[in-house]
Amino acid sequence: MIKLSKKVEYAILALQYIAENSSKTNTAKEIAENLTLPYEFLSKLLQTLMKKGLLVSQLGVKGGYKLAKQISEITVEELMNALDERSNIVDCADGDSNCCSRTEICDIRSPIMNLQEQINNIFKNTTIANLKNNL
Amino acid sequence: MIKLSKKVEYAILALQYIAENSSKTNTAKEIAENLTLPYEFLSKLLQTLMKKGLLVSQLGVKGGYKLAKQISEITVEELMNALDERSNIVDCADGDSNCCSRTEICDIRSPIMNLQEQINNIFKNTTIANLKNNL
DNA sequence: CAAAAATACGATTATTTTTATCCGAATTTA
DNA sequence: TAAATTCGGATAAAAATAATCGTATTTTTG
Ligand code: FES
Ligand code: FES
């Protein structure tokens, strides 16, 4: 179905929100409320982005999140990787093999990989900042 | 996860198989056996492709499927549509709205649609014949 | 005509993936 | 020490995908 997962969608919105409010640390709760996103889910997601180095977190009261890098320097590809969402269109894309029957003698693997690269390029060339209307 | 569904994957393989054996009518059973694909599932899928005009079927003994058009004239986009697989990366892509929170004032819709178009173009410009190694 | 080999169609089940929640722990501020 | 918050693991709920079942219909052929 070639769909961006909610994780990715929420993360884009959250990153843009944090970018707009970069003067302070933003709590997961505040972001969730302002964007009307499920708090627990968003919370998990932000923690992941932190661990992957896209966000910096501060624990405790007055804690929250800030950007670790500008959203103009975060590509969609990077975001997907951080969220463990591979942009693979077939399972064998990262070497796992048997994405389709007859793996060994697969007739379509190489051309499928070509498709894959075209798609990767799109995500590689789009940053979170690019995904805003009001530039 | 941006993954081609099994339906699409199997369909590509099946169409290529039928193209290679275009002199005769190919039964679902034969195709499934030769490609090691689940018969019932493939069968359903071929029926769908027939109804959508990509295949021609013949009922009864000696029945089976033939191509209704050359695989060089079937794009991946067309195939996905035929299989009711939209290549939408977000729900609002075909007007359904509220794909993400704050739909009305969605900051990212238009740029997301741009991404969408880039992806559509890839699928629009790739035919089933293009997805073969041995041209 | 009857049997066999197919497709056609609808319903259902099973599996996997995605999305969401819960809970207790650790950390920091005041 | 209490409150606000991130952290981390486990689990649950929902949705989408993949697969199967059963029966009907069509066509060929002996
Ligand atoms: S084995 Fe991956 S495309 Fe065939
Ligand atoms: S409403 Fe679809 S991208 Fe925001």
Side-chain angles (χ1 to χ4, degrees):
Chain A
M1 193 61 168
I2 311 285
K3 192 151 61 176
L4 251 44
S5 66
K6 291 298 173 195
K7 275 206 279 192
V8 174
E9 214 172 310
Y10 295 172
I12 293 171
L13 291 166
L15 286 170
Q16 292 184 347
Y17 180 92
I18 297 173
E20 273 170 4
N21 298 275
S22 52
S23 51
K24 56 167 183 164
T25 58
N26 302 273
T27 69
K29 191 182 167 199
E30 182 204 337
I31 302 170
E33 280 173 0
N34 277 286
L35 300 178
T36 333
L37 300 178
Y39 168 73
E40 313 270 7
F41 192 65
L42 176 70
S43 198
K44 260 291 146 49
L45 187 160
L46 294 175
Q47 286 170 34
T48 306
L49 294 184
M50 187 274 298
K51 271 191 286 192
K52 295 301 174 63
L54 300 192
L55 291 176
V56 173
S57 70
Q58 190 187 337
L59 286 184
V61 181
K62 293 268 185 179
Y65 298 94
K66 293 187 115 175
L67 291 176
K69 52 197 295 192
Q70 302 293 79
I71 58 173
S72 60
E73 281 161 1
I74 303 173
T75 65
V76 176
E77 187 195 40
E78 193 177 351
L79 179 62
M80 291 176 106
N81 285 339
L83 294 172
D84 294 308
E85 307 266 327
R86 289 305 180 305
S87 58
N88 295 346
I89 58 174
V90 286
D91 293 334
C92 70
D94 44 36
D96 261 13
S97 71
N98 68 341
C99 77
C100 69
S101 54
R102 300 191 306 175
T103 318
E104 322 82 35
I105 49 159
C106 178
D107 274 349
I108 65 175
R109 183 157 189 176
S110 137
I112 286 272
M113 286 307 107
N114 184 290
L115 256 194
Q116 177 75 65
E117 272 183 48
Q118 293 182 55
I119 290 178
N120 287 350
N121 282 337
I122 293 178
F123 293 130
K124 216 174 278 182
N125 293 325
T126 306
T127 70
I128 307 305
N130 289 153
L131 293 176
K132 296 217 58 168
N133 265 332
N134 40 325
L135 273 173
Chain B
M1 192 65 167
I2 310 285
K3 191 150 65 178
L4 251 45
S5 65
K6 292 295 174 196
K7 275 205 280 191
V8 173
E9 214 173 310
Y10 295 172
I12 293 170
L13 292 166
L15 286 171
Q16 292 183 349
Y17 180 93
I18 297 174
E20 273 170 5
N21 298 276
S22 51
S23 52
K24 56 169 181 157
T25 57
N26 302 273
T27 69
K29 190 181 169 199
E30 182 204 338
I31 301 171
E33 279 173 0
N34 277 286
L35 300 178
T36 333
L37 299 179
Y39 168 73
E40 313 269 8
F41 193 65
L42 175 70
S43 199
K44 258 297 144 51
L45 188 161
L46 294 174
Q47 286 170 33
T48 306
L49 293 184
M50 186 273 298
K51 269 191 286 192
K52 293 303 173 62
L54 301 192
L55 291 176
V56 172
S57 71
Q58 190 189 337
L59 287 184
V61 181
K62 294 268 187 180
Y65 298 93
K66 294 189 114 174
L67 291 176
K69 51 198 295 190
Q70 301 294 78
I71 58 172
S72 60
E73 282 162 1
I74 303 175
T75 65
V76 176
E77 186 194 41
E78 192 177 353
L79 179 61
M80 291 177 105
N81 284 339
L83 294 171
D84 294 308
E85 309 266 325
R86 289 307 180 305
S87 58
N88 295 346
I89 59 174
V90 285
D91 293 333
C92 69
D94 44 36
D96 262 10
S97 70
N98 68 340
C99 78
C100 68
S101 55
R102 302 191 303 174
T103 317
E104 321 81 36
I105 48 158
C106 179
D107 273 350
I108 65 175
R109 183 158 188 174
S110 136
I112 287 270
M113 285 309 106
N114 183 290
L115 257 193
Q116 177 74 67
E117 272 182 47
Q118 292 182 55
I119 291 178
N120 287 349
N121 282 337
I122 293 177
F123 293 129
K124 216 174 277 181
N125 293 323
T126 307
T127 70
I128 307 305
N130 289 153
L131 293 176
K132 296 217 61 168
N133 266 331
N134 38 326
L135 273 174

